[in-house]
Amino acid sequence: MKAFFSIFLVLLFCSIATNNINAQQKIEIKYSGFLTYDEDQYPGARILTRDDSEQVHIFHSGTDMWCDKAYYYGNENFIEAYGNVKMIQGDTINMVSKYVEYNGATQLAFASGDVVLTDPSSTITTDTLYFDRERQQAFYRSHGTVVKDSSGTITSKIGRYYMQDKKYRFVEDVVLTNPEAEIVTDYFDFYSDTGHAYLFGPSTITTEESVTYCEKGFYDTKAKTGYALKNAKIDYDAKEVVGDSLYFDQNINFSSATNNIKITDTLNNSVVKGHYAEVFKSPEKDSIFITKRAYAITVQDQDSIYIHGDTLMVTGKPEKRITRIFRNVKLYKSDMSGKADSIHVNHESGLTQLININAPGANTAFSTARKPILWNLGNQMTGDTIHLQSDTERDKMDSLIVFNHAFLISKDTLGDGFNQINGKKLVGLFNDDNQLYHVDIIKNAQSIYYFRNENGELVGIDKSKSGLINILINNNEIEEVRKINQIDGNIYPESQFPKNEKILKGFDWREEERPKSVEDLFKDDPPLELPIIKGLDDYIAEEDFFDEEALKNADTKLNYKGLKEKKKKPQNDKKRS
């Protein structure tokens, strides 16, 4: 009775074990040319070998596998396959390699030796690959290559493929190349169906036209568009665009930037800043549009010229560059400043134009026209339009011209009066120190001038009219005034000078408007409110590929090569049937 009961328990235990394996869908051998055993070297294994007609054929849970030789451990539901191994899962996954380990309990496969895994839209090539059939994920960690249709070729040290989501995750030494671009990054999420790519860590996107750098970004490999965040910048044609957020469209060679923008043009030695910008780079269009506290900085004669306005535009090729600044424009340089409704700069010719476009009704009998104005040291110049001419070869100021209603004012150095000269046109010349040293007032010239002797004592006040006035200036003081074709004039003692004639018609002293620093360019601007850029979430490291609980529940003696102890290589078989 006891013997019978013991036999019954053994049979019951075996039945339960068999049912568990069946519940796991036991590996099925569809075909084998030869079957042998070697209990000394491979205890519990059936050794399956192909014949001349076909390979060993193995089936498990919807997946077929073929190989030249296999070691099948039935009790553990585990198999090792060698030689021209091929695994096919339905009509979607096809994997070939030299060697495969497969565990039916966990549905985990390990492949090595010239591994190639393909699905309908991509191909993975690597030396070793882990394939989790239950979670439908593939993983490599010793460098691999993925070819994805028109999206290009991706290489990385570590790669993971989420088959159901059509998502790839690449880590370390990641490079994507296609005919339009090359992407180099540390962390790269790529969605196979959409062609969307997410970049994390130091990343570079290189195209024929530009190089984009960021530490967080997005790129649509199909639409050829994307955006860059975190230390983002775009380099093209000797220009660098930096901003908190950069968008780019390779199809039309367009990019835009938001918040804390800086565009550096090394060829023209200039910088443009603001908080919103649009940039076009193409054979037909080469331009920069920038607004929100926009300003340009140009280095000239080891000094910088700052120009600020509501809107700034830079157009043309580097050798034909034009800069335009619109509305409420201010200019500042250490020895010069100015204001105008708009400023136009031709970098090729060196001509800067200060222009006003007065609103209707601005110049009534009860208002003073806000004409363009320029301050050079102690001199204030106004007129309908002002031109500044630079010597582009010497990189210095050359001359200025004030057109229509030209007016030059300088405060008397020791008194309360003002030296004044006006006429139809003013032409001034600058010395090598960028100081006015010669001024001509042409046509209908009038002047009021305070004469002082070498002791600074006021000799008299001169008021006159003439066809032309020639002025020589030294050390910011009028040294000599020559009147040509004088019509009338007189020199008055101060006590006899009529008070109602102390200023000429059109006199407008605007010293309180004068920018005296870079900060003064922005003092009249409304408060600046920048948009909040949310952008991409930070990179989140993936969960472990290997399910430790599943490995623990599987046979501990026979798990993955590279994860557990390596098993012995196959030797000559001892038994054959």
Side-chain angles (χ1 to χ4, degrees):
M1 184 66 179
K2 290 184 179 179
F4 173 79
F5 186 69
S6 298
I7 294 172
F8 174 77
L9 288 178
V10 170
L11 293 174
L12 180 63
F13 176 79
C14 291
S15 175
I16 292 172
T18 302
N19 288 337
N20 285 338
I21 291 177
N22 289 335
Q24 298 166 359
Q25 294 190 4
K26 191 173 181 180
I27 293 171
E28 180 183 350
I29 308 302
K30 291 279 192 179
Y31 179 82
S32 174
F34 302 98
L35 172 64
T36 59
Y37 299 89
D38 187 344
E39 288 298 326
D40 292 337
Q41 294 291 325
Y42 304 99
R46 281 187 274 174
I47 303 171
L48 313 172
T49 309
R50 68 166 295 163
D51 58 20
D52 293 337
S53 63
E54 60 179 290
Q55 290 183 293
V56 177
H57 184 188
I58 301 150
F59 178 82
H60 182 256
S61 187
T63 294
D64 291 282
M65 180 165 64
W66 291 266
C67 64
D68 293 340
K69 178 174 283 190
Y71 293 78
Y72 174 47
Y73 298 84
N75 291 337
E76 293 84 6
N77 208 19
F78 182 88
I79 198 163
E80 287 185 285
Y82 291 85
N84 302 306
V85 184
K86 179 166 67 174
M87 287 184 69
I88 296 179
Q89 177 181 286
D91 58 355
T92 57
I93 302 298
N94 188 322
M95 183 175 73
V96 297
S97 64
K98 292 180 179 179
Y99 172 80
V100 166
E101 293 180 13
Y102 180 73
N103 190 321
T106 60
Q107 296 192 55
L108 288 169
F110 167 78
S112 66
D114 301 330
V115 185
V116 179
L117 185 148
T118 59
D119 68 5
S121 62
S122 62
T123 301
I124 301 175
T125 303
T126 183
D127 186 59
T128 57
L129 184 74
Y130 302 89
F131 179 22
D132 186 336
R133 292 189 56 233
E134 184 175 356
R135 292 191 292 175
Q136 287 295 285
Q137 294 180 18
F139 173 81
Y140 64 80
R141 56 182 180 183
S142 57
H143 292 94
T145 300
V146 175
V147 179
K148 170 65 179 73
D149 296 343
S150 59
S151 298
T153 300
I154 307 167
T155 60
S156 67
K157 181 178 179 181
I158 299 171
R160 186 167 181 173
Y161 182 25
Y162 301 80
M163 297 173 185
Q164 292 178 340
D165 297 331
K166 299 294 184 184
K167 172 188 173 181
Y168 289 90
R169 168 159 284 187
F170 301 99
V171 179
E172 201 171 331
D173 302 332
V174 186
V175 180
L176 180 148
T177 56
N178 61 33
E180 289 79 25
E182 179 186 76
I183 299 176
V184 179
T185 184
D186 281 350
Y187 303 96
F188 188 72
D189 284 355
F190 179 72
Y191 290 83
S192 181
D193 280 354
T194 62
H196 291 176
Y198 296 86
L199 294 71
F200 301 93
S203 306
T204 303
I205 303 173
T206 303
T207 69
E208 187 177 349
E209 294 80 18
S210 64
V211 177
T212 301
Y213 174 86
C214 66
E215 293 173 16
K216 190 186 293 185
F218 166 81
Y219 181 61
D220 187 330
T221 60
K222 293 182 178 179
K224 305 298 185 292
T225 61
Y227 55 87
L229 305 166
K230 195 175 180 183
N231 298 321
K233 67 176 181 177
I234 299 176
D235 292 295
Y236 74 99
D237 276 1
K239 285 192 286 291
E240 179 185 80
V241 183
V242 175
D244 289 355
S245 175
L246 303 178
Y247 168 82
F248 55 91
D249 184 338
Q250 290 177 233
N251 303 287
I252 57 176
N253 292 310
F254 168 81
S255 59
S256 64
T258 304
N259 292 358
N260 300 305
I261 301 157
K262 179 181 179 182
I263 303 173
T264 304
D265 185 340
T266 55
L267 286 181
N268 286 286
N269 213 14
S270 63
V271 174
V272 178
K273 293 186 177 183
H275 294 285
Y276 178 75
E278 295 181 356
V279 180
F280 275 98
K281 169 65 185 77
S282 69
E284 300 79 21
K285 187 182 294 185
D286 192 332
S287 65
I288 298 171
F289 167 89
I290 190 164
T291 187
K292 289 190 177 180
R293 200 156 289 184
Y295 66 104
I297 308 167
T298 302
V299 178
Q300 185 181 78
D301 191 27
Q302 298 182 345
D303 196 1
S304 295
I305 302 174
Y306 297 82
I307 305 177
H308 163 59
D310 289 350
T311 303
L312 187 150
M313 290 182 64
V314 182
T315 58
K317 300 295 181 182
E319 65 277 6
K320 301 283 185 180
R321 187 75 74 216
I322 299 292
T323 298
R324 300 176 180 90
I325 306 96
F326 303 99
R327 291 182 291 278
N328 305 315
V329 184
K330 297 177 184 178
L331 174 152
Y332 174 77
K333 190 173 177 285
S334 62
D335 52 13
M336 182 180 294
S337 56
K339 289 180 66 177
D341 183 80
S342 62
I343 290 180
H344 182 286
V345 182
N346 186 319
H347 296 272
E348 181 185 23
S349 66
L351 177 62
T352 299
Q353 298 170 284
L354 283 72
I355 306 164
N356 260 24
I357 305 173
N358 291 315
N363 295 325
T364 66
F366 303 99
S367 67
T368 302
R370 296 285 89 180
K371 297 180 180 294
I373 184 168
L374 197 67
W375 293 272
N376 175 244
L377 300 175
N379 302 299
Q380 174 188 296
M381 290 158 281
T382 56
D384 289 357
T385 303
I386 299 176
H387 287 189
L388 278 170
Q389 182 65 57
S390 297
D391 186 331
T392 56
E393 292 185 2
R394 297 191 307 135
D395 198 29
K396 291 180 178 292
M397 296 299 300
D398 179 79
S399 59
L400 70 85
I401 302 175
V402 181
F403 296 92
N404 298 327
H405 305 102
F407 211 124
L408 172 64
I409 306 173
S410 65
K411 200 169 189 308
D412 179 35
T413 54
L414 297 177
D416 296 328
F418 294 91
N419 297 310
Q420 305 159 56
I421 303 173
N422 68 9
K424 185 173 183 180
K425 184 178 181 180
L426 181 152
V427 178
L429 302 177
F430 292 91
N431 60 24
D432 287 342
D433 296 323
N434 286 338
Q435 296 178 349
L436 277 173
Y437 75 93
H438 185 108
V439 174
D440 288 329
I441 304 293
I442 302 170
K443 200 172 183 180
N444 302 326
Q446 300 181 81
S447 67
I448 295 175
Y449 177 61
Y450 287 72
F451 279 106
R452 294 184 178 274
N453 60 25
E454 63 272 10
N455 296 320
E457 299 169 337
L458 183 61
V459 176
I461 303 173
D462 176 273
K463 183 175 183 181
S464 63
K465 295 181 180 180
S466 57
L468 172 68
I469 295 178
N470 177 263
I471 305 167
L472 299 180
I473 302 173
N474 185 27
N475 293 326
N476 196 35
E477 293 183 5
I478 296 177
E479 189 174 71
E480 183 180 348
V481 177
R482 299 173 184 170
K483 303 168 188 176
I484 301 172
N485 297 327
Q486 182 170 340
I487 299 172
D488 61 29
N490 200 0
I491 298 178
Y492 301 88
E494 184 179 20
S495 59
Q496 298 179 17
F497 190 74
K499 290 185 179 180
N500 59 351
E501 294 186 15
K502 284 189 175 182
I503 59 172
L504 298 174
K505 183 179 179 180
F507 176 91
D508 186 18
W509 182 245
R510 295 163 61 183
E511 182 66 19
E512 74 283 356
E513 299 178 39
R514 181 176 186 170
K516 297 179 181 178
S517 66
V518 176
E519 291 73 22
D520 281 353
L521 298 177
F522 309 100
K523 67 180 181 180
D524 297 327
D525 288 7
L528 183 64
E529 295 183 8
L530 299 180
I532 298 173
I533 300 171
K534 183 178 185 301
L536 298 172
D537 293 331
D538 291 334
Y539 176 79
I540 300 175
E542 63 185 9
E543 70 278 8
D544 291 337
F545 178 81
F546 303 105
D547 189 333
E548 296 298 333
E549 188 65 28
L551 292 177
K552 187 190 302 181
N553 293 335
D555 177 64
T556 57
K557 181 175 61 176
L558 296 168
N559 272 314
Y560 290 107
K561 189 176 186 179
L563 299 178
K564 300 291 184 180
E565 280 188 33
K566 295 183 180 179
K567 294 181 290 300
K568 296 180 180 179
K569 294 291 183 181
Q571 299 176 0
N572 294 330
D573 307 329
K574 293 185 178 179
K575 297 181 182 179
R576 182 178 293 272
S577 65

Coordinates of all heavy atoms in Angstrom, one line a residue, residues 43-73:
P43 N 23.3 16.9 -20.0 CA 22.3 16.1 -19.3 C 20.9 16.6 -19.5 O 20.7 17.8 -19.4 CB 22.7 16.1 -17.8 CG 23.6 17.4 -17.7 CD 24.3 17.5 -19.0
G44 N 20.0 15.8 -19.9 CA 18.6 16.1 -20.1 C 18.3 16.8 -21.4 O 17.2 17.2 -21.7
A45 N 19.3 16.8 -22.3 CA 19.1 17.5 -23.6 C 18.9 16.5 -24.7 O 19.6 15.5 -24.8 CB 20.3 18.4 -23.9
R46 N 18.0 16.9 -25.6 CA 17.9 16.2 -26.9 C 18.7 17.0 -27.9 O 18.5 18.2 -28.1 CB 16.5 16.0 -27.3 CG 15.8 14.9 -26.6 CD 14.4 14.7 -27.2 NE 13.4 15.5 -26.6 CZ 12.1 15.6 -26.9 NH1 11.7 14.9 -28.0 NH2 11.3 16.4 -26.3
I47 N 19.6 16.3 -28.7 CA 20.5 17.0 -29.6 C 19.8 16.8 -31.0 O 19.8 15.6 -31.5 CB 21.9 16.5 -29.6 CG1 22.5 16.7 -28.2 CG2 22.8 17.2 -30.6 CD1 23.8 16.0 -27.9
L48 N 19.4 17.9 -31.6 CA 18.7 17.8 -32.9 C 19.6 18.3 -34.0 O 20.2 19.4 -33.9 CB 17.4 18.7 -32.9 CG 16.5 18.5 -31.6 CD1 15.4 19.5 -31.6 CD2 16.0 17.1 -31.6
T49 N 19.7 17.6 -35.1 CA 20.6 18.0 -36.2 C 19.9 17.9 -37.5 O 19.0 17.0 -37.7 CB 21.8 17.0 -36.3 OG1 22.4 17.0 -35.0 CG2 22.9 17.5 -37.2
R50 N 20.1 18.9 -38.4 CA 19.5 18.9 -39.7 C 20.0 17.7 -40.6 O 21.0 17.1 -40.3 CB 19.7 20.2 -40.4 CG 21.2 20.4 -40.8 CD 21.3 21.6 -41.8 NE 20.6 21.3 -43.1 CZ 20.3 22.2 -44.0 NH1 20.6 23.5 -43.8 NH2 19.7 21.8 -45.1
D51 N 19.3 17.4 -41.6 CA 19.8 16.5 -42.7 C 20.0 17.3 -44.0 O 19.9 18.5 -44.0 CB 18.8 15.3 -42.8 CG 17.4 15.7 -43.2 OD1 17.2 16.9 -43.7 OD2 16.5 15.0 -43.0
D52 N 20.2 16.6 -45.0 CA 20.4 17.2 -46.3 C 19.2 17.9 -46.9 O 19.3 18.8 -47.7 CB 21.0 16.2 -47.3 CG 22.4 15.8 -46.9 OD1 23.1 16.5 -46.2 OD2 22.8 14.7 -47.4
S53 N 18.0 17.5 -46.4 CA 16.8 18.0 -47.0 C 16.4 19.3 -46.4 O 15.9 20.2 -47.2 CB 15.7 17.0 -46.9 OG 15.4 16.7 -45.5
E54 N 16.5 19.5 -45.1 CA 16.1 20.7 -44.5 C 16.6 20.9 -43.1 O 17.2 19.9 -42.5 CB 14.5 20.8 -44.5 CG 13.9 19.7 -43.7 CD 12.4 19.9 -43.6 OE1 11.9 20.9 -43.0 OE2 11.7 19.1 -44.3
Q55 N 16.4 22.1 -42.6 CA 16.9 22.4 -41.2 C 16.0 21.9 -40.1 O 14.9 21.4 -40.4 CB 17.1 23.9 -41.0 CG 18.2 24.6 -41.8 CD 18.2 26.1 -41.5 OE1 17.3 26.8 -41.9 NE2 19.3 26.5 -40.9
V56 N 16.5 21.9 -38.9 CA 15.7 21.6 -37.7 C 14.6 22.7 -37.7 O 14.9 23.9 -37.8 CB 16.6 21.6 -36.5 CG1 15.6 21.3 -35.2 CG2 17.6 20.5 -36.6
H57 N 13.4 22.2 -37.4 CA 12.2 23.2 -37.4 C 11.6 23.1 -36.0 O 11.2 22.0 -35.5 CB 11.2 22.8 -38.5 CG 10.1 23.8 -38.5 ND1 9.0 23.5 -39.3 CD2 9.8 25.0 -37.9 CE1 8.1 24.5 -39.2 NE2 8.6 25.4 -38.4
I58 N 11.6 24.2 -35.3 CA 11.1 24.3 -33.9 C 9.9 25.3 -33.9 O 9.9 26.3 -34.6 CB 12.2 24.8 -33.0 CG1 13.3 23.8 -33.1 CG2 11.7 25.0 -31.6 CD1 14.7 24.5 -32.8
F59 N 8.9 25.1 -33.1 CA 7.7 25.9 -33.0 C 7.4 26.2 -31.6 O 7.4 25.3 -30.8 CB 6.5 25.3 -33.8 CG 5.3 26.2 -33.7 CD1 5.1 27.2 -34.6 CD2 4.3 25.9 -32.8 CE1 3.9 28.0 -34.5 CE2 3.1 26.6 -32.7 CZ 3.0 27.7 -33.6
H60 N 7.0 27.5 -31.3 CA 6.5 27.8 -29.9 C 5.6 29.0 -30.0 O 6.1 30.1 -30.4 CB 7.7 28.0 -29.0 CG 7.2 28.3 -27.5 ND1 7.2 29.5 -27.0 CD2 6.7 27.4 -26.6 CE1 6.7 29.5 -25.8 NE2 6.4 28.2 -25.5
S61 N 4.4 28.9 -29.6 CA 3.5 30.0 -29.3 C 3.5 31.0 -30.5 O 3.7 32.2 -30.3 CB 3.9 30.7 -28.0 OG 3.0 31.7 -27.7
G62 N 3.3 30.5 -31.7 CA 3.1 31.3 -32.8 C 4.4 31.7 -33.5 O 4.4 32.5 -34.4
T63 N 5.5 31.2 -33.0 CA 6.8 31.6 -33.6 C 7.5 30.3 -34.1 O 7.6 29.3 -33.4 CB 7.7 32.3 -32.6 OG1 7.1 33.5 -32.3 CG2 9.1 32.5 -33.2
D64 N 8.0 30.4 -35.4 CA 8.8 29.3 -36.0 C 10.3 29.6 -35.9 O 10.7 30.8 -36.1 CB 8.4 29.1 -37.4 CG 6.9 28.5 -37.5 OD1 6.8 27.3 -37.3 OD2 6.0 29.3 -37.8
M65 N 11.1 28.6 -35.7 CA 12.5 28.8 -35.7 C 13.2 27.6 -36.4 O 12.8 26.4 -36.3 CB 13.1 28.8 -34.2 CG 14.6 29.0 -34.2 SD 15.2 29.5 -32.5 CE 14.7 28.1 -31.5
W66 N 14.2 27.9 -37.3 CA 14.9 26.9 -38.0 C 16.4 27.1 -37.7 O 16.9 28.2 -37.4 CB 14.7 27.1 -39.5 CG 13.4 26.8 -40.0 CD1 12.9 25.6 -40.5 CD2 12.2 27.7 -40.1 NE1 11.6 25.7 -40.9 CE2 11.2 26.9 -40.6 CE3 12.0 29.0 -39.7 CZ2 9.9 27.5 -40.8 CZ3 10.8 29.6 -39.9 CH2 9.7 28.8 -40.5
C67 N 17.1 26.0 -37.7 CA 18.6 26.0 -37.4 C 19.2 24.8 -37.9 O 18.6 23.8 -38.3 CB 18.9 26.2 -35.9 SG 18.3 24.8 -34.9
D68 N 20.6 24.7 -37.9 CA 21.3 23.5 -38.3 C 21.4 22.5 -37.2 O 21.4 21.3 -37.4 CB 22.7 23.9 -38.8 CG 22.7 24.7 -40.1 OD1 21.6 24.7 -40.8 OD2 23.7 25.4 -40.4
K69 N 21.5 23.0 -36.0 CA 21.6 22.1 -34.8 C 21.0 22.8 -33.6 O 21.1 24.0 -33.4 CB 23.1 21.7 -34.5 CG 23.2 20.8 -33.3 CD 24.7 20.4 -33.1 CE 25.0 19.3 -34.1 NZ 26.3 18.6 -33.8
A70 N 20.3 21.9 -32.7 CA 19.7 22.5 -31.5 C 19.9 21.6 -30.4 O 19.9 20.3 -30.5 CB 18.2 22.7 -31.8
Y71 N 19.9 22.1 -29.2 CA 20.0 21.4 -27.9 C 18.7 21.7 -27.1 O 18.5 22.8 -26.7 CB 21.2 21.8 -27.1 CG 22.5 21.3 -27.8 CD1 23.0 22.0 -28.8 CD2 23.2 20.2 -27.3 CE1 24.2 21.6 -29.5 CE2 24.3 19.8 -28.0 CZ 24.8 20.5 -29.0 OH 26.0 20.1 -29.7
Y72 N 17.8 20.7 -27.1 CA 16.5 21.0 -26.5 C 16.4 20.3 -25.1 O 16.6 19.1 -25.0 CB 15.4 20.4 -27.4 CG 14.0 20.4 -26.9 CD1 13.6 21.6 -26.3 CD2 13.2 19.3 -26.9 CE1 12.3 21.7 -25.8 CE2 11.9 19.4 -26.4 CZ 11.5 20.6 -25.8 OH 10.2 20.6 -25.3
Y73 N 16.1 21.1 -24.1 CA 15.9 20.7 -22.7 C 14.4 20.7 -22.5 O 13.9 21.8 -22.1 CB 16.7 21.6 -21.8 CG 18.2 21.6 -22.0 CD1 18.8 22.4 -23.0 CD2 19.0 20.7 -21.3 CE1 20.1 22.4 -23.2 CE2 20.4 20.7 -21.5 CZ 20.9 21.6 -22.4 OH 22.3 21.5 -22.7

